[in-house]
Amino acid sequence: SLQFDPEVPRRRSRPRPDRIRRYSQKVMASDEEWVLYYWGPPPGGKPFPGRGEFIRLIFEETGVKFREVGDHKVLLEMFFSKAQEGTKQEGFPHFAPPLIQKGNFRLSQTPVICSYLGKQFGLWPESEDDQWHADQLNKTIHDFIGEGRLAFHGRNPVESYYTQKEETQPYIDRFVKTRLPRWLAHLEATLKANRGGQGFLIGDKLTYVDLALLHVLRATESQFPEAWAANDSIPLLKAFKDRISARPNLAAYFKSDRCIPFEGNSMM
């Protein structure tokens, strides 16, 4: 039987609009409650952190409580039913999870969510120049993990990795050999450019892009442990990962059962 790919949800038959409204009402956030919508464990499958982990790290570091909705039935009917496509979707349209909500406000697209929450929770650079550089880095980091994921879907980007393991292996090998070193070298140089790489990516305080970098480095080490260990040209990145991971709230999170182990493919 085919295994579930965390980033390629299965489609369901078209649900009745009244069912969608009931699901929407059921998971509606209160005015004071943050809610993260992201895929929970699929039926019979393993849990995975996925792109939702970028967002969880912001909540965990800042100590802001949130509720997560991961029920596949709810999410499939919210995002992948005919009644929710295009202009038929209620409110401002959203393509896919992850999505955050507070009250009636909803926002999707992982890098946009990270930037928004960074500003909301004080993980925001001081100067306008730094804000734009943070935005640049945010998009670079998400491009990196997006390319890494795509290597695991070389035949078809919207099919499960498990349906194309043999066909996509050359793409994975090429990514590890040629692309991964370049991404890491760029991030190493970027970190070094700010005060010798001994602190943060931007300025002299933690920002949302530091947490994004932490996640992508943890994903890299988990997915490609041999390449990570053998790369002796990124000492600043390795020290950064250890240093930021040791921050009290994050260290507690990584030791808790709230922290989901990586699934084992697609840097997810």
Side-chain angles (χ1 to χ4, degrees):
S1 60
L2 300 182
Q3 299 186 56
F4 183 83
D5 186 322
E7 292 292 312
V8 186
R10 299 185 179 96
R11 296 185 64 92
R12 297 172 63 92
S13 60
R14 179 174 179 173
R16 297 186 350 238
D18 61 317
R19 289 187 65 194
I20 294 170
R21 284 194 293 270
R22 287 204 299 271
Y23 278 117
S24 179
Q25 292 166 1
K26 181 179 179 181
V27 297
M28 180 68 71
S30 73
D31 290 343
E32 301 302 322
E33 180 185 44
W34 289 98
V35 179
L36 168 62
Y37 298 84
Y38 194 68
W39 303 109
K46 296 189 297 184
F48 53 91
R51 288 180 172 90
E53 191 71 358
F54 284 106
I55 301 160
R56 295 185 197 100
L57 291 185
I58 295 177
F59 283 120
E60 293 289 346
E61 165 62 24
T62 57
V64 176
K65 295 189 180 300
F66 70 103
R67 178 168 61 92
E68 187 158 349
V69 175
D71 185 283
H72 280 237
K73 190 173 184 180
V74 173
L75 294 180
L76 287 168
E77 294 195 0
M78 284 178 64
F79 295 100
F80 294 94
S81 67
K82 289 292 183 182
Q84 292 293 339
E85 289 180 358
T87 58
K88 294 182 180 180
Q89 193 176 70
E90 294 179 4
F92 195 88
H94 299 280
F95 186 73
L99 177 145
I100 59 168
Q101 179 178 352
K102 188 175 185 183
N104 292 323
F105 175 70
R106 290 181 171 184
L107 188 68
S108 58
Q109 285 290 354
T110 313
V112 177
I113 293 172
C114 292
S115 178
Y116 172 79
L117 292 180
K119 191 169 186 179
Q120 293 292 311
F121 300 157
L123 300 174
W124 192 250
E126 299 292 340
S127 72
E128 184 176 2
D129 284 354
D130 283 349
Q131 290 164 17
W132 283 112
H133 285 151
D135 189 43
Q136 172 188 315
L137 280 171
N138 187 34
K139 291 177 171 59
T140 297
I141 289 166
H142 287 272
D143 283 348
F144 171 26
I145 203 166
E147 185 177 324
R149 178 197 174 275
L150 192 61
F152 288 78
H153 301 78
R155 176 173 58 80
N156 189 325
V158 296
E159 279 188 11
S160 168
Y161 161 70
Y162 297 106
T163 69
Q164 51 190 316
K165 289 177 68 173
E166 293 185 6
E167 294 162 285
T168 202
Q169 190 59 48
Y171 295 91
I172 298 171
D173 295 340
R174 182 176 63 187
F175 178 80
V176 172
K177 182 179 179 179
T178 66
R179 297 295 292 166
L180 181 61
R182 186 177 181 197
W183 281 111
L184 293 176
H186 174 72
L187 294 172
E188 176 85 0
T190 303
L191 181 59
K192 187 176 182 179
N194 186 42
R195 309 182 185 190
Q198 301 303 312
F200 307 104
L201 279 169
I202 301 288
D204 59 0
K205 71 171 190 175
L206 186 81
T207 66
Y208 68 98
V209 288
D210 292 302
L211 299 177
L213 177 60
L214 172 62
H215 174 57
V216 81
L217 294 180
R218 293 183 72 246
T220 300
E221 182 182 30
S222 175
Q223 186 67 67
F224 310 112
E226 294 181 1
W228 174 265
N231 192 331
D232 58 5
S233 66
I234 53 170
L236 297 177
L237 287 180
K238 291 182 177 181
F240 173 92
K241 183 185 75 69
D242 293 341
R243 184 170 63 251
I244 303 301
S245 295
R247 292 175 67 88
N249 285 357
L250 293 176
Y253 169 63
F254 292 140
K255 293 177 182 177
S256 74
D257 58 7
R258 299 190 308 280
C259 183
I260 306 167
F262 288 97
E263 198 271 343
N265 79 82
S266 307
M267 297 181 72
M268 297 290 160

